Amino acid sequence: MAKMGLEFDGFDDVINRLKKMEGDTKKVSEKALAKTFELVTPKIQSAMAPHNDRGITAESIVTSPHIEWAGSVGSVDIGFDIPNGGLPSVFLMYGTPKMTPDRKLYNAVYGNKTKQLVHDTVEEIFYSEIRRLGI
């Protein structure tokens, strides 16, 4: 599984502004993490479709967001549940000596377009909360 976190330029400033405005930073963070999950998971499912011979690996795709907090750092698991049938996804994404990597699957999780989409979405969620609170 990949862990997605929240970070963008000026992130600390945004968090400080939300705190000063008495905004619920944890609630906004959870909303952004859940939205990240909603955006990335369909891309993974789509990229996994050509590899769905027996369905075991495709069934290991995490289908509901589980947000974890370690102190003030939140994260959400995205991708494949490795212990429960997701191990082949690693070989699909990175390849083996006899199999070329599936770049589409890799990019669905780790690609620059995915990262940019997540970045833009997270940034918009935080700034829209600041606008909602009045600044």
Side-chain angles (χ1 to χ4, degrees):
M1 273 182 272
K3 292 248 185 221
M4 290 284 183
L6 307 175
E7 194 72 35
F8 54 86
D9 291 337
F11 183 73
D12 292 334
D13 293 335
V14 170
I15 293 296
N16 288 334
R17 285 174 67 184
L18 280 172
K19 286 179 181 177
K20 286 178 186 175
M21 300 167 77
E22 297 181 13
D24 189 345
T25 56
K26 187 172 181 177
K27 182 179 173 184
V28 176
S29 297
E30 287 182 354
K31 179 180 177 182
L33 288 167
K35 186 64 176 177
T36 296
F37 182 88
E38 290 174 21
L39 291 171
V40 176
T41 300
K43 292 176 70 154
I44 296 169
Q45 290 168 327
S46 174
M48 189 60 202
H51 305 290
N52 200 8
D53 295 337
R54 291 185 285 157
I56 296 169
T57 306
E59 289 174 5
S60 73
I61 297 172
V62 179
T63 57
S64 61
H66 176 71
I67 297 169
E68 293 180 8
W69 287 93
S72 63
V73 178
S75 64
V76 64
D77 292 330
I78 293 178
F80 299 87
D81 187 353
I82 300 297
N84 295 310
L87 184 59
S89 69
V90 176
F91 303 115
L92 289 170
M93 285 191 279
Y94 293 97
T96 67
K98 294 184 179 185
M99 182 179 74
T100 59
D102 183 335
R103 298 305 298 169
K104 185 176 179 184
L105 182 59
Y106 177 87
N107 288 335
V109 181
Y110 300 107
N112 288 333
K113 287 183 182 178
T114 299
K115 288 178 184 177
Q116 189 63 48
L117 176 65
V118 168
H119 173 274
D120 294 346
T121 302
V122 167
E123 192 173 40
E124 178 55 34
I125 288 171
F126 274 88
Y127 282 117
S128 68
E129 181 65 11
I130 288 173
R131 286 189 297 272
R132 188 187 70 78
L133 291 172
I135 289 184

